[in-house]
């Protein structure tokens, strides 16, 4: 969710030094293994094999339930970087078996520890003390964020500490370009980019744990509430370091859908009335926002942005390094998340292409963490999905088709909008499209280089261009609230930049200078080529007006940029 400019900068510094390493024992969850299998499967395998794998795929709700349950058995512990791992585990194991644990760095060392049973967690919390300081007072709110103190003699340094630390945030773009330059095919470059950028198992666990910690705060008022992540934290397109969008759900509290008897007596709760659903959401978020601000350990910079179209509370969760957006009554966004997740699971090419296009767009300032007239990651993802629906044969089905496959139990109407689509992945039959990722990337740029943005709207519901219903430079139909345009913030200048970059990137990918691997020649091995070239900074942003440039040669600037890179490289080697 992006609504305020000031917060990004404040969080950037917090996020910059995060590192994560894992020392877990026990296998990764079965579900994630499946996602992984999908991801690494080669492209163009036969449709039957794809279908078989898909049958074992878990729905987003299945994944969420599993993760949520793990998170509820977990604690987050701040510990000294010299903490001895063996002593640490021995100390904690007194309370019961540990299923999994890992350490990470975020302005200090933290450990996520998942116990096998909730009783162990309760026992551990029972033993924990309230800190006492002479010069400060404490808000006595007990949470599962703890600090490990050591009053004894100096601990034996953890020999492994630091060695296994892996960065939690993504590698800088320059490093990525160098890494991609060493790959042998564009296909490999694309899969390598996804590998580097996607959320790790540990990062996903941490996201659910933060939601669970937040839930403990909200539960003081609404014991039956849930807080679930949505957006890129769970839709399969999340990049390390992306924000944590959370959905506070108080709709599922028991009694809401209880059937009234036709006759006789019954009791109902007396409840305060509000003028609208929006007013309820605002007051709920306002109170929870205050609690987070006043009582939430590690939650800083709390901003209540209650007048936005989608009211939210924004804050930084320092121990995890996440920028958090807490929303409520946001069921349509939850459905969008579920839909994006489903599309990402259908064919591995979906995730690879989305990651690549998102990264490319960010490298060129097409998207930004600051709110404005930019294309958002969500819009960009919908554009990739639409493009994949337009292939011949289509790689993914339309949303209308997914609705037609739905069971009665899939029926979902939210605020009058039909959000129904199939939840059983095995019912979805894919057509046999075997296009390579390289081809698809080229075609994506070509497709949007020539798309009639002035007349047409993008609709993944229909999988076909629709006449634009309103004047807006870029019109992308909201998949569920179909009268809305998800890209209505985008101005003509930003759309022009996108189109110009698509043209330039398409052209570059067709040049032998760009698309020939440098592998095999040590001297040239780190000269950017293929996808690496496309991620290099460009000045296309300066293009004015809406003049279309079709199949023009790349700008002189890009040519000279390529030359200068070659020269720099030769200098380095000499
Ligand atoms: P990043 O945070 O940029 O990595 O991607 P994201 O997909 O999480 O986007 P964002 O945080 O902006 O939004 C979170 C989720 O809210 C998205 O995944 C969508 O499900 C939903 N969303 C965002 N923008 C819109 C919009 O304009 N319309 C609708 N209907 N949903 C949106
Ligand atoms: Mg997000």
């Amino acid at each position: 969710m992006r609504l305020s400019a000031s917060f990004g900068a404040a969080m950037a510094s917090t996020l910059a030094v995060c590192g994560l390493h894992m020392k877990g024992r026990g296998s990764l969850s079965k579900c994630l293994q499946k996602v992984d299998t999908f991801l690494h499967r080669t492209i163009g395998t036969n449709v039957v094999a794809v279908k078989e794998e898909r049958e074992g795929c878990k729905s987003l709700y299945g994944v969420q339930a599993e993760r949520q349950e793990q998170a509820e058995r977990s604690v987050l512990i701040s510990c000294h970087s010299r903490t001895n791992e063996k002593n640490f585990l021995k100390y904690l194991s007194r309370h019961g078996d540990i299923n999994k644990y890992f350490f990470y760095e975020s302005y200090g060392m933290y450990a996520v520890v998942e116990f096998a049973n909730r009783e162990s967690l309760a026992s551990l919390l029972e033993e924990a003390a309230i800190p006492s300081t002479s010069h400060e007072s404490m808000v006595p709110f007990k949470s599962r964020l703890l600090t490990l103190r050591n009053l004894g003699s100096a601990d034996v340094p953890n020999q492994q500490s630091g060695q296994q630390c892996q960065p939690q945030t993504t590698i800088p773009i320059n490093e990525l370009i160098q890494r991609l330059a060493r790959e042998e095919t564009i296909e490999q470059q694309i899969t390598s980019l996804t590998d580097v950028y996607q959320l790790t198992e540990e990062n996903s666990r941490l996201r659910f744990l933060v939601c669970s910690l937040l839930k403990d705060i909200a539960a003081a008022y609404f014991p039956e509430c849930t807080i679930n992540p949505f957006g890129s934290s769970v839709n399969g397109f999340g990049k390390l370091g992306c924000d944590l969008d959370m959905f506070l759900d108080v709709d599922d509290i028991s009694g809401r859908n209880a059937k009234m008897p036709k006759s006789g007596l019954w009791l109902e709760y007396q409840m305060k009335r509000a003028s609208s659903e929006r007013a309820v959401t605002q007051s709920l978020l306002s109170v929870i926002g205050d609690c987070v601000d006043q009582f939430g350990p590690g939650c800083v910079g709390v901003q209540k942005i209650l007048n936005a179209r989608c009211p939210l509370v924004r804050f930084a969760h320092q121990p995890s390094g996440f920028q958090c957006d807490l929303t409520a009554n946001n069921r349509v966004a939850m459905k969008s998340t579920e839909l994006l997740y489903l599309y990402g699971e259908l064919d591995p090419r979906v995730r690879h292409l989305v990651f690549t296009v998102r990264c490319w767009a960010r490298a060129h300032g097409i998207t930004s963490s600051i709110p404005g007239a930019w294309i958002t990651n969500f819009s960009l993802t919908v554009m990739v999905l639409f493009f994949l629906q337009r292939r011949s044969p289509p790689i993914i089905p339309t949303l209308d088709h997914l609705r037609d496959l739905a069971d009665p139990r899939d029926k979902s109407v939210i605020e009058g909008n039909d959000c129904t689509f199939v939840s059983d992945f095995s019912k979805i039959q894919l057509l046999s499209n075997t296009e390579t990722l390289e081809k698809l990337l080229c075609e994506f740029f070509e497709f949007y280089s020539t798309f009639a943005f002035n007349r047409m709207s993008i609709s993944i519901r229909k999988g076909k261009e629709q006449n634009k219903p309103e004047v807006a430079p870029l019109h992308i139909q909201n998949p569920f609230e179909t009268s809305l345009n998800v890209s209505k913030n985008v101005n003509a200048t930003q759309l022009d930049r996108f189109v110009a970059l698509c043209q330039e990137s398409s052209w570059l990918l067709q040049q032998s200078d760009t698309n020939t691997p440098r592998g095999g020649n040590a001297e040239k091995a780190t000269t950017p080529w293929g996808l690496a070239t496309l991620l290099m900074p460009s000045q296309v942003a300066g293009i004015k007006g809406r003049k279309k440039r079709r199949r023009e040669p790349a700008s002189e600037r890009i040519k000279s940029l390529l030359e200068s890179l070659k020269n720099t490289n030769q200098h380095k080697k000499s």
Side-chain angles (χ1 to χ4, degrees), residues 119-328:
E119 294 74 35
S120 313
L121 191 73
S123 155
L124 176 131
L125 294 176
E126 188 118 322
E127 191 183 270
I130 303 234
S132 61
T133 56
S134 50
H135 56 284
E136 275 177 324
S137 299
M138 296 286 164
V139 178
F141 177 76
K142 291 177 170 177
S143 81
R144 282 176 286 140
L145 173 58
L146 304 159
T147 305
L148 180 75
R149 302 278 181 211
N150 186 353
L151 300 174
S153 54
D155 213 345
V156 181
N158 180 4
Q159 296 302 318
Q160 289 167 326
S161 181
Q163 288 165 17
Q164 292 176 21
C165 256
Q166 289 161 15
Q168 186 182 5
T169 46
T170 51
I171 57 173
I173 188 81
N174 291 350
E175 247 175 73
L176 178 71
I177 290 173
Q178 290 301 309
R179 186 179 167 139
L180 299 187
R182 290 191 289 272
E183 298 292 353
E184 285 173 6
T185 63
I186 291 184
E187 198 91 4
Q188 281 170 5
Q189 290 185 323
I190 295 175
T191 51
S192 179
L193 183 145
T194 313
D195 284 346
V196 170
Y197 271 20
Q198 68 190 338
L199 299 185
T200 58
E201 155 79 8
E202 301 77 49
N203 197 272
S204 298
R205 279 174 178 266
L206 193 53
R207 284 170 189 270
F208 276 87
L209 179 52
V210 172
C211 287
S212 178
L213 297 178
L214 255 287
K215 190 231 146 156
D216 288 349
I217 298 177
Y221 287 98
F222 305 100
E224 294 173 76
C225 76
T226 54
I227 294 190
N228 266 314
F230 71 99
S232 59
S233 293
V234 282
N235 66 14
F237 304 120
K239 176 181 140 184
L240 279 172
C242 69
D243 65 357
L244 173 56
D245 303 296
M246 293 181 277
F247 171 48
L248 166 68
D249 191 353
V250 289
D251 279 359
D252 275 349
I253 54 173
S254 58
R256 187 173 281 273
N257 297 318
K259 287 232 166 75
M260 309 284 181
K262 291 220 169 82
S263 61
L265 304 178
W266 80 88
L267 285 172
E268 61 180 26
Y269 291 97
Q270 282 201 15
M271 287 181 167
K272 199 138 196 153
R273 281 158 208 273
S275 56
S276 64
E277 279 292 324
R278 183 175 165 83
V280 175
T281 302
Q282 285 170 325
S283 64
L284 222 115
L285 284 175
S286 178
V287 172
I288 305 294
D290 283 341
C291 288
V292 171
D293 193 17
Q294 308 287 326
F295 310 142
C299 301
V300 298
V302 178
Q303 283 178 286
K304 296 197 277 182
I305 308 168
L306 303 178
N307 288 325
R309 188 180 82 83
C310 179
L312 73 139
V313 175
R314 176 167 286 182
F315 59 94
H317 186 259
Q318 269 188 336
S320 61
F322 295 142
Q323 175 182 323
C324 302
D325 282 350
L326 178 67
T327 59

Side-chain angles (χ1 to χ4, degrees), residues 300-430:
V300 298
V302 178
Q303 283 178 286
K304 296 197 277 182
I305 308 168
L306 303 178
N307 288 325
R309 188 180 82 83
C310 179
L312 73 139
V313 175
R314 176 167 286 182
F315 59 94
H317 186 259
Q318 269 188 336
S320 61
F322 295 142
Q323 175 182 323
C324 302
D325 282 350
L326 178 67
T327 59
N329 196 14
N330 197 7
R331 295 192 163 275
V332 178
M334 207 62 217
K335 271 285 164 191
S336 310
T337 303
E338 199 188 330
L339 180 69
L340 262 48
Y341 173 86
L342 182 149
Y343 276 128
E345 290 292 285
L346 287 182
D347 187 299
R349 288 171 293 182
V350 179
R351 291 185 67 226
H352 288 310
L353 205 61
V354 170
F355 267 100
T356 304
V357 171
R358 277 188 175 206
C359 179
W360 165 85
R362 190 59 194 265
H364 294 286
I366 292 287
T367 53
S368 165
S369 60
I370 303 163
W374 293 274
I375 298 175
T376 63
N377 271 333
F378 179 63
S379 298
L380 204 56
T381 307
V382 176
M383 289 172 91
V384 175
L385 297 178
F386 180 73
F387 159 74
L388 294 172
Q389 290 175 333
R390 300 297 290 137
R391 300 310 297 156
S392 179
I395 292 178
I396 50 171
T398 66
L399 179 50
D400 271 350
H401 181 68
L402 295 178
R403 184 204 51 208
D404 295 344
L405 294 175
D407 286 334
R409 71 189 157 95
D410 294 327
K411 182 139 186 80
S412 167
V413 178
I414 302 168
E415 291 158 21
N417 301 300
D418 186 4
C419 300
T420 307
F421 61 91
V422 64
S423 62
D424 179 358
F425 289 59
S426 67
K427 288 170 101 185
I428 306 166
Q429 302 271 347
L430 297 184

